[in-house]
Amino acid sequence: MGNSAVPSVDDISDGEFKAYLGRYPSCIEAISQSKGAKPGQKTLAELDEYRYGEALDLFRPGKAKPMEIDHVKTLVEWKLRHGKFRPTLMKLVSSNDPKAVKETVQKAVNAYQDKSDVSTALGILTQLKGIGPATASLLLAVHDEENVVFFADEAFYWLCNGGSQGPIKYNLKEYIALQERAQSVIKRLGVKAVDVERVAFVLMRGQNDGIPKTAEEKSLKQEDKPEKPNKSSTPTSENVRKQPAKRKVPAEEDEINPNLRRSKLSRSESPLAASWGRLLQQLREEIDDISSADEEDIIPTIDFADISNPDLAGEFLEHLRERGVAVIRQVVPQETATGWRQELDEYLDEGLDTTQSSFQQHRPLHNIFWSPPQIQARAHPNILAAQKFVMRLWKSEDPNAPISTNFPISYADRVRTQIDGPGNHGSNAHVDGGSVERWEKDGYGDAGTYRHILNGQWEQHDPWESSSRVKVTSDLYSGASSCSIFRMFSGWLSLTSTTPDDGPSLQVVPLPKLATAYFLLRPFFSPASPASNQADSSADWTLDNPQNSLLHGALPGYPQEIIPDMHPHLQLEKSLISIPPLNPGDYVVWHPDLIHAVGSGSSSNQYPPSRRGSRPRLSFSLSNKPSRTVLYLPACPLTQTNALYLSRQRKAFLLGYPGPDFDVAGYTRGGCGGGSGRDERKHASRASVQTVNDTGGDDGLRAMGLLPWDEEDAESDAERSVLAMANAILFPDLFEG
């Protein structure tokens, strides 16, 4: 919907256009005075004289001199002061090689002058660091003031959005639309592109500054309607650090679950009971379908090479939405994955205290974090592309939610191996992401993640809604298997061939909505008699009145356990199925709420034995090296919580300490999984920043928090704010005081 206070692009008259253009100098002067300048820094008014005066004289067609990096930096400085401030942009632009800047700009200008092809010229310019389509259009615009319009927010709002502010993706497609709309005004009124920019600026920015109107403007019938002041959403490094970390220490039972279930029932007792019956009926039908089908038909797979195919990718994502688990084949070439496995074996053997050897302890989880194969996998372009691809499935009810799936971050997790022979145990069926926190007000409650389920409307629950998870605290008790960041997917990258019969086989209940609703509602209901505690006896289950404090399978500081006797309707012997066989380089991902277990080398549908059983201690020899190996590689979006974690993880990486979710001995807080702790600080082969750069380049460095994000890469204003927030957390020195 357009802004009625702003004259339409199609209707603005020549007189109106000239009146607004005449108002531009006073508009800029007023804004310049309000912003001021630091000592030694040019004011906005001075920079504006360069942009619309000196730069046009320097680079005008026919007398243009080559554009140097200092010219580019001055124009970028004008852009930052004239529009929205991007704290990382100048540093990125300054990091370009001066010779490369000169040659690239000249190449782009030549391409434009030869064929008047704006798209080709911008494509050349955007090869420079920090130069997105918007900045590229500025560099081209000073070479042709009459025909090339600068991709300013104000120009886009007026020319393409009816005078109303709205999301901008800052991509080439939007710029071409902007250029076409500008051309219509240029031809109709006989004006220059540079003048269209300035009129748009006055229309969108000049109405709030109390600037006296020109005599010509006063004579117009068009009225100015003030807009709300434009408040910057970019946080400072100071205010993002004031967010307190949520931690809760369990004391008395009423502190853990203070009348939690009773408060839920007071609002929705009847709907809750009705929803339970509907849920059990649907659950039985789905489990029957799962148990009668082949696992390959239940769990979707796709080749990495096909994720760019719209038809194949769309079908795969819809299947993933339904099942919550999937396999992407050949994300990493087999020879690369096999090489990583060999290098990992050597890393485990080299330079470590032999008394702490995990092969001696025969532990499946190796608490190492910074081996070259792990770092190379996290930074690998294909891994980042696969994570970005699957995270597309998540959507937000709030379009301005502070979350981005376009910029995955790395989470340093462990290695799992399996050695052939007796004593290899897996894990019970469980759900990551906390346990009692799912019912707690301070956990998932305030965020409303499961509000529909707990209000008796589980059918409305969307497991893939992201905005309700941004403010979740899933580790209130800092216990076993705690993960303090938002993972959209847990993930394994296989470095070996893995089958259900020889482990480590991942087993899942591929019902992300139904199974989650079941274990969340289970504590509210009980069987009428012991004989009713069967999967086919839903009619004999009743709503507890009064409620008690038992949360089945949930204890503070531990993951949510799924136990056959406590959760009979899940029929784990039928619903817990193995993923398809994996080859080196295959990547399996699953939803954070998905029930899963790690098999123990038994048959695919056998419920795994307890992970608390004893494990024999074996002497190390070549004969008992691990025969199957996977790397834990979750897919994590960019959020404030995740950026704060990333800043701590970055320090741990640089110093060789375990990730922040792991204690100084290398164990998960609380000792999850009995992993083997080891000190990597003095390991001769520990990966470095150079390892990240050599493998993943800029994107790999950003995922590890080692390089600022380029805010020009954002697809919307909301995403741009997320990048600015993350940069403020990780690189506070980039912000002006």
Side-chain angles (χ1 to χ4, degrees):
M1 184 174 179
N3 183 350
S4 59
V6 176
S8 165
V9 174
D10 298 320
D11 297 333
I12 190 170
S13 67
D14 180 65
E16 288 175 319
F17 188 92
K18 290 179 179 178
Y20 285 111
L21 182 60
R23 193 180 175 202
Y24 179 81
S26 57
C27 179
I28 279 293
E29 185 61 36
I31 296 174
S32 179
Q33 290 179 7
S34 67
K35 286 188 173 184
K38 292 181 178 180
Q41 187 182 59
K42 291 182 179 180
T43 65
L44 172 59
E46 291 171 331
L47 290 169
D48 204 70
E49 289 179 5
Y50 177 84
R51 158 66 179 99
Y52 291 113
E54 184 179 347
L56 298 183
D57 291 336
L58 285 172
F59 307 114
R60 185 170 285 118
K63 55 176 291 188
K65 62 175 293 185
M67 181 176 282
E68 307 279 355
I69 191 169
D70 286 342
H71 299 129
V72 174
K73 289 166 64 176
T74 303
L75 288 170
V76 168
E77 186 180 2
W78 170 82
K79 177 177 180 287
L80 295 175
R81 303 290 298 282
H82 192 262
K84 294 179 181 177
F85 178 66
R86 315 297 184 198
T88 63
L89 184 59
M90 184 59 79
K91 181 169 283 190
L92 286 169
V93 171
S94 300
S95 68
N96 286 292
D97 177 70
K99 182 179 178 182
V101 170
K102 183 177 180 179
E103 293 176 349
T104 301
V105 173
Q106 192 59 53
K107 181 180 178 182
V109 171
N110 290 341
Y112 171 71
Q113 291 176 344
D114 288 345
K115 298 182 179 180
S116 297
D117 187 347
V118 173
S119 298
T120 299
L122 264 59
I124 296 170
L125 289 168
T126 53
Q127 295 173 10
L128 295 170
K129 293 180 182 179
I131 306 298
T135 307
S137 71
L138 173 60
L139 303 184
L140 192 62
V142 296
H143 286 85
D144 187 355
E145 63 182 291
E146 295 189 358
N147 298 298
V148 179
V149 68
F150 163 50
F151 194 170
D153 290 4
E154 295 79 14
F156 189 85
Y157 295 150
W158 183 48
L159 293 166
C160 299
N161 212 32
S164 297
Q165 297 187 18
I168 304 177
K169 295 182 178 180
Y170 301 98
N171 56 31
L172 183 59
K173 181 179 179 181
E174 284 186 337
Y175 178 72
I176 295 304
L178 173 66
Q179 177 72 1
E180 290 176 353
R181 290 289 286 162
Q183 288 299 317
S184 68
V185 180
I186 292 168
K187 292 176 181 178
R188 184 171 65 85
L189 299 179
V191 295
K192 298 178 180 180
V194 71
D195 294 334
V196 174
E197 292 173 25
R198 291 186 280 191
V199 167
F201 186 87
V202 171
L203 287 169
M204 301 306 303
R205 293 281 296 278
Q207 301 178 51
N208 303 319
D209 299 292
I211 303 167
K213 298 178 182 179
T214 63
E216 190 171 4
E217 187 179 2
K218 288 179 180 179
S219 68
L220 302 175
K221 296 182 179 180
Q222 180 69 34
E223 295 181 354
D224 287 330
K225 182 179 179 181
E227 296 177 351
K228 294 181 180 180
N230 183 21
K231 296 181 180 180
S232 174
S233 60
T234 303
T236 65
S237 59
E238 180 180 2
N239 62 33
V240 295
R241 289 178 175 177
K242 289 182 179 179
Q243 298 291 333
K246 295 182 180 178
R247 286 292 180 270
K248 194 170 183 179
V249 179
E252 298 180 6
E253 187 177 69
D254 62 348
E255 290 186 37
I256 298 172
N257 295 293
N259 300 314
L260 178 65
R261 292 165 57 185
R262 189 175 298 111
S263 66
K264 294 291 183 187
L265 289 181
S266 65
R267 296 192 301 272
S268 56
E269 182 170 353
S270 178
L272 206 64
S275 75
W276 177 252
R278 299 194 307 272
L279 175 63
L280 296 188
Q281 175 64 31
Q282 186 70 30
L283 198 57
R284 277 196 300 271
E285 294 175 2
E286 289 291 336
I287 291 174
D288 287 344
D289 289 344
I290 289 173
S291 62
S292 63
D294 292 335
E295 284 128 2
E296 289 80 1
D297 295 331
I298 296 295
I299 298 175
T301 64
I302 190 173
D303 288 340
F304 176 75
D306 292 331
I307 67 173
S308 57
N309 182 308
D311 294 334
L312 295 176
E315 181 181 357
F316 170 84
L317 290 175
E318 281 305 307
H319 204 173
L320 173 57
R321 181 191 304 278
E322 178 186 8
R323 294 304 179 192
V325 59
V327 177
I328 306 178
R329 302 286 190 191
Q330 302 177 54
V331 175
V332 175
Q334 286 200 18
E335 59 272 19
T336 301
T338 302
W340 284 348
R341 186 274 176 91
Q342 178 62 39
E343 191 175 356
L344 191 61
D345 287 349
E346 296 171 357
Y347 187 86
L348 288 166
D349 290 344
E350 290 176 1
L352 297 173
D353 184 350
T354 56
T355 63
Q356 294 295 316
S357 169
S358 63
F359 289 129
Q360 284 183 313
Q361 296 180 16
H362 201 201
R363 300 293 178 95
L365 283 175
H366 301 275
N367 287 300
I368 59 172
F369 306 91
W370 314 121
S371 68
Q374 289 171 288
I375 294 299
Q376 289 165 352
R378 292 172 197 148
H380 198 283
N382 290 7
I383 293 292
L384 296 176
Q387 292 173 341
K388 181 178 176 180
F389 168 64
V390 294
M391 288 196 296
R392 281 167 39 190
L393 194 57
W394 288 78
K395 302 298 180 184
S396 173
E397 292 178 355
D398 178 4
N400 295 314
I403 184 169
S404 171
T405 59
N406 288 321
F407 303 93
I409 70 161
S410 294
Y411 179 78
D413 211 324
R414 298 161 292 176
V415 178
R416 176 176 283 276
T417 63
Q418 184 85 11
I419 303 173
D420 288 331
N424 293 320
H425 294 290
S427 66
N428 282 339
H430 65 283
V431 182
D432 295 326
S435 57
V436 299
E437 288 90 347
R438 285 185 165 84
W439 292 272
E440 290 268 22
K441 182 176 184 292
D442 294 337
Y444 289 77
D446 282 342
T449 309
Y450 306 114
R451 64 188 184 281
H452 294 305
I453 294 174
L454 297 174
N455 287 331
Q457 300 171 318
W458 60 264
E459 293 93 341
Q460 296 183 27
H461 173 64
D462 182 1
W464 307 100
E465 202 288 309
S466 60
S467 63
S468 63
R469 295 179 186 256
V470 173
K471 297 181 180 180
V472 161
T473 302
S474 61
D475 61 336
L476 287 172
Y477 305 98
S478 304
S481 196
S482 292
C483 178
S484 58
I485 71 170
F486 176 18
R487 295 181 293 188
M488 286 186 161
F489 290 93
S490 294
W492 274 4
L493 178 70
S494 182
L495 303 187
T496 55
S497 295
T498 303
T499 68
D501 291 332
D502 59 17
S505 171
L506 180 69
Q507 298 172 298
V508 297
V509 177
L511 299 169
K513 177 189 283 191
L514 295 176
T516 301
Y518 177 80
F519 73 73
L520 283 170
L521 292 179
R522 168 65 183 90
F524 297 97
F525 297 87
S526 296
S529 65
S532 302
N533 195 21
Q534 304 294 327
D536 57 354
S537 303
S538 59
D540 297 326
W541 284 63
T542 59
L543 187 67
D544 291 338
N545 192 7
Q547 291 282 305
N548 56 54
S549 62
L550 177 64
L551 294 173
H552 298 74
L555 291 172
Y558 288 87
Q560 171 69 48
E561 296 278 356
I562 305 298
I563 303 169
D565 289 343
M566 290 186 175
H567 304 94
H569 301 94
L570 286 175
Q571 304 181 71
L572 292 178
E573 73 281 359
K574 296 171 63 176
S575 64
L576 191 68
I577 65 172
S578 291
I579 63 171
L582 300 177
N583 293 314
D586 290 348
Y587 187 37
V588 56
V589 295
W590 64 95
H591 189 282
D593 289 346
L594 206 67
I595 298 170
H596 63 284
V598 178
S600 57
S602 56
S603 62
S604 62
N605 283 333
Q606 179 179 341
Y607 185 70
S610 171
R611 67 164 177 252
R612 296 185 176 88
S614 61
R615 297 180 177 88
R617 296 173 66 88
L618 303 181
S619 299
F620 177 75
S621 69
L622 291 177
S623 63
N624 58 31
K625 278 184 177 289
S627 57
R628 285 160 297 281
T629 304
V630 297
L631 304 180
Y632 282 93
L633 287 177
C636 308
L638 187 59
T639 68
Q640 177 174 307
T641 297
N642 289 6
L644 288 166
Y645 183 92
L646 191 60
S647 71
R648 296 161 57 210
Q649 180 179 273
R650 176 180 60 186
K651 182 177 181 180
F653 165 59
L654 296 174
L655 296 177
Y657 287 107
D661 278 342
F662 300 81
D663 70 19
V664 293
Y667 291 85
T668 309
R669 297 189 306 244
C672 170
S676 57
R678 53 185 65 228
D679 187 348
E680 295 181 79
R681 285 174 293 176
K682 297 181 180 179
H683 198 298
S685 300
R686 177 163 58 90
S688 65
V689 174
Q690 190 63 48
T691 311
V692 181
N693 184 65
D694 291 346
T695 304
D698 288 354
D699 288 340
L701 291 168
R702 290 182 178 115
M704 289 284 290
L706 298 168
L707 184 72
W709 284 273
D710 185 351
E711 293 161 35
E712 292 294 315
D713 292 338
E715 294 186 354
S716 66
D717 284 348
E719 187 170 67
R720 188 183 293 271
S721 296
V722 174
L723 296 184
M725 170 271 300
N727 284 331
I729 292 170
L730 288 154
F731 307 96
D733 58 303
L734 295 177
F735 278 83
E736 293 185 339

